[in-house]
Amino acid sequence: MLERMLDKKKLSKNWWKRRYRPLAQLIYSLSKGGILALTHALAASLSDYRITVNVISPGWIDTGDYNALRKIDHEQHLSK
C-alpha cells in the first residue's frame, strides 16, 4: 500500500510540473516584456529633459554580427 501511495505522490508531483511550467514561462515572459516596454517609454518621454533611463535585464541575448546591422537599425534606437 505504501508503494502505491508513493507512486501516486510522484505522479501527482510530475503532473503539476508538466501542467504549470508553460504558465510560469508565460508569466515570466510577459513581466519581462512589460518592464522593457515601460523602460523604453520612459526613456522616450524623459529624453527631452536629458534624463537617462536604464534597466537591468538578465538573460542571454544573441547579438549576432554587429557589422551586419544597417544604418536604419541604428537610427531606430533612442541612444545617439
Side-chain angles (χ1 to χ4, degrees), residues 16-35:
W16 188 90
K17 284 182 180 180
R18 284 192 310 267
R19 168 97 176 162
Y20 291 105
R21 187 172 302 212
L23 180 61
Q25 182 63 40
L26 174 67
I27 292 168
Y28 172 80
S29 298
L30 286 172
S31 62
K32 190 168 186 176
I35 289 172

Side-chain angles (χ1 to χ4, degrees), residues 31-32 34-40 43 52-58:
S31 62
K32 190 168 186 176
I35 289 172
L36 293 175
L38 176 64
T39 303
H40 184 81
T52 303
V53 180
N54 296 310
V55 64
I56 297 174
S57 181

Side-chain angles (χ1 to χ4, degrees), residues 64-70:
D65 184 9
Y66 183 80
N67 295 324
L69 294 174
R70 301 166 297 169

Side-chain angles (χ1 to χ4, degrees), residues 2-17:
L2 180 59
E3 288 177 11
R4 282 182 44 200
M5 289 174 63
L6 291 174
D7 284 343
K8 284 184 180 180
K9 186 175 182 181
K10 186 176 180 181
L11 176 66
S12 197
K13 182 179 179 184
N14 289 335
W15 174 84
W16 188 90
K17 284 182 180 180

